[in-house]
């Protein structure tokens, strides 16, 4: 998904629809690539207007070893208004 697609999705998606806007570890990945935050920032405007909500779904199992692997998540936004 691109920043341009965010507005298109907001204009066409039905209430209750959701979309995965990023897969990875957003908190860690944005340290290395500042552009990773562009799409969440584009959706943040709609979140402030209470039109969408954010949630995450973990894709990897919890690793309780001494050298755990970084978690991978789907970052999802759902249209609520």
């Amino acid at each position: 998904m691109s920043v341009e697609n965010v507005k298109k999705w907001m204009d066409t998606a039905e209430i209750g629809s959701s979309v995965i806007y990023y897969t990875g570890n957003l908190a860690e990945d944005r340290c290395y690539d500042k552009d990773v935050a562009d799409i969440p920032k584009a959706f943040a405007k709609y979140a402030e207007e209470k039109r969408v909500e954010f949630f995450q779904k973990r894709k990897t199992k919890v690793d309780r070893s001494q050298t755990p692997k970084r978690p991978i998540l789907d970052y999802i936004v759902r249209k609520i208004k």
Side-chain angles (χ1 to χ4, degrees):
M1 175 169 274
S2 67
V3 174
E4 295 79 28
N5 289 340
V6 169
K7 181 170 180 359
K8 289 178 190 174
W9 186 82
M10 286 300 299
D11 290 341
T12 60
E14 294 182 16
I15 292 174
S17 296
S18 61
V19 66
I20 297 171
Y21 63 88
Y22 189 74
T23 299
N25 187 320
L26 192 56
E28 190 174 303
D29 295 346
R30 67 192 323 171
C31 293
Y32 304 105
D33 181 2
K34 300 296 182 197
D35 295 337
V36 168
D38 291 346
I39 294 169
K41 286 179 185 176
F43 275 119
K45 175 182 82 168
Y46 298 106
E48 288 174 6
E49 298 169 357
K50 305 215 184 306
R51 295 181 59 197
V52 298
E53 61 186 0
F54 294 102
F55 61 100
Q56 303 166 357
K57 181 178 179 186
R58 189 178 189 106
K59 294 187 65 113
T60 55
K61 292 184 178 181
V62 175
D63 185 359
R64 299 188 193 284
S65 68
Q66 289 190 359
T67 55
K69 297 178 183 166
R70 70 187 204 124
I72 303 297
L73 302 112
D74 280 337
Y75 293 85
I76 305 164
V77 65
R78 178 176 24 227
K79 188 173 181 178
I80 58 174
K81 193 188 247 183

